[in-house]
Amino acid sequence: MIQFNPADLATMLPELFLLGATCAILLIDLFLKPARRDVTHWLSLAALLATGVLVWRGAPVQGSGIAAFNGMFVRDGVATVLKVFVLLTTGLVFLYSRDYLRQRKLFVGEFYLLLLFATLGMMLLVSAGNLVTVYLGLELLTLSSYALVALNRDSAVSSEAAIKYFVLGALASGLLLYGMSMIYGATGTLDLAKIHAVADFSANSPHRVLLAFGLVFLVVGAAFKLGAAPFHMWLPDVYQGAPTAVTLFVGSASKLAAFGMTWRLLDGAMGGMHAHWTQMLGVLAVLSLAVGNVFAIAQTNLKRMLAYSTISHVGFLLLGFVNGSASGYAAAMFYMISYALMATVAFGMIMLLARAGFEAEEIDDFKGLNQRNPWYAGVMAIAMFSLAGVPPLFGFFAKLMVLKAVIDAGQMWLAIVAIVFAIVGLYYYLRVVKVMYFDAPHDAAALELPGDRGFRWALSLNGLALLALGVFWGPLLDWCNSALMVAAR
């Protein structure tokens, strides 16, 4: 029987605060005229900042974390790390999007409110200690994301992308829920820690087949949410069809939450069967590396290219899971954080160059950018080189950590495959750099920058952070390692 403890509310204070703040902003936005929509913008940023402070102050000092509501909600080091970067990347989405949305007449309260609810879902997802909490957080995130993709109701491309996302997302959620029901039927519990303790996959177990099918459905559902091949069909269409501000969110913050969900389900619940799901993830990693890097070469649309690039990066992420140990998960989390920060720069640059009636989403739209604005050409070059894994940038050390993890697991062949496809991936990243520096611009006029100085400063610092973290990556990796090591106790 579940008993209520008032101390449980203190454990999830950041989530409760964000929920209350979002409801308050919803009511305030109802009475705002369109000309005063900036109030919603700044209130949303303030809500994220205050939530971040609460997450940081409430971080567990030692031990394996704190559980609330009979283990349904867990506050530990992994949740803290992921929540900090979820809130950071969502804040960057808000900062980068204001001018972009205003020029397209999409500067509406719904954008901010749906993003805040999606952020709440992500925070619940990375703190889930129970299958019910996993599904609650996942649906809060995905339902908000479906609506965000369709934010531009006058665009047929956006509407088509939203329908595809909704149909395929609902299918994946159903598969995940079906897998959860099988796990519950085999173990008799919804608690992730208890499932880990009682799941019996031995040869004489009466529930062996049920557990095996449940595990397969869990892996398929997680692979879809991450965007791993061959469950990637939705990714290119959603990235291209959604407004770039929404694509930025889907390609950064939501990927952190998907990592958290995958780790909670596979290691937290099915850790005793890691010898089986690591083999499945190894196959998904190879497919993702191959599909992502090969198909990205043929793309002329930058958003579609970055979508296929995301698939290849998910392949690298899965290499950390193949290790099946705390160090491997730490490398995977470090990699996902690095990817989220790199993606914010790449999509931020698309929004920087975009203007009313012009999306700047084709690779050719970046022709001659160095002649028009050398600074932002340099920022974009840093993002492309970091995504490609060129030293000494952040992305290089992220790739190095997951390669080390997979080699430590004795899977040298996987590391070789990953290196080969990383070299293939250099082509399409360098193509963007080539058009910026060596092609003549379509328009010789100076680049017309948006009037939002906060956007320009944040984007510049975001780009420089990729360079700084390429040099001082140790503390972040140590933070990831300490969070996973404590969680593994």
Side-chain angles (χ1 to χ4, degrees), residues 177 197 227 278 328 427 435:
L177 187 61
T278 52
Y427 172 80
V435 301

Side-chain angles (χ1 to χ4, degrees), residues 444-476:
L447 178 65
E448 183 181 342
L449 296 175
D452 191 341
R453 288 188 177 182
F455 172 23
R456 302 202 302 268
W457 274 97
L459 182 60
S460 299
L461 291 174
N462 194 173
L464 292 175
L466 301 181
L467 185 58
L469 288 170
V471 179
F472 303 105
W473 51 272
L476 177 57

